[in-house]
Amino acid sequence: MPRRKPRSERYGAPQQLGTGLGDVYRRTETGPDGDEYVVRTVPGARAVKRYRCPGCDHEIMPGIAHVVAWPAGSGETDRRHWHRGCWNGRNTRGITRRWS
């Protein structure tokens, strides 16, 4: 059986990918309040930490795909991690946890 190439040769070394996969999934959306938000999709394989969703106030466990969003005018330090369903349904209900 032929040997597989090392992972770095199959997918390219991380330094060759530029700014990483996070930028591939980045987009800008208008929120229910009319403000612009930068939104980034995090695949489950890259979700390695536990976060609390401001939409439902439940935890987002490691390995669960989710959405990261922050106001377009601020830096990434204001980002919040949301369940996909909570982010998509934010127009129909208010958030449980206020941004601080």
Side-chain angles (χ1 to χ4, degrees):
M1 175 181 278
R3 293 177 51 137
R4 293 175 62 174
K5 291 182 180 180
R7 184 177 182 96
S8 62
E9 289 181 25
R10 283 185 283 163
Y11 300 111
Q15 63 270 20
Q16 294 174 347
L17 292 176
T19 56
L21 289 175
D23 291 342
V24 174
Y25 301 104
R26 187 178 294 197
R27 62 190 181 277
T28 303
E29 292 185 12
T30 303
D33 52 2
D35 292 340
E36 291 287 321
Y37 291 92
V38 178
V39 181
R40 185 173 65 201
T41 303
V42 178
R46 295 184 58 94
V48 295
K49 291 173 59 179
R50 184 180 291 181
Y51 299 100
R52 183 154 310 262
C53 175
C56 65
D57 204 31
H58 290 152
E59 289 186 341
I60 301 172
M61 302 304 284
I64 302 296
H66 61 278
V67 172
V68 181
W70 63 93
S74 67
E76 288 189 25
T77 56
D78 292 333
R79 65 183 180 257
R80 298 292 180 260
H81 296 254
W82 294 69
H83 292 107
R84 286 184 186 176
C86 294
W87 178 255
N88 293 335
R90 73 193 184 284
N91 295 332
T92 59
R93 62 185 169 110
I95 61 173
T96 304
R97 181 173 263 197
R98 297 288 171 205
W99 291 37
S100 53

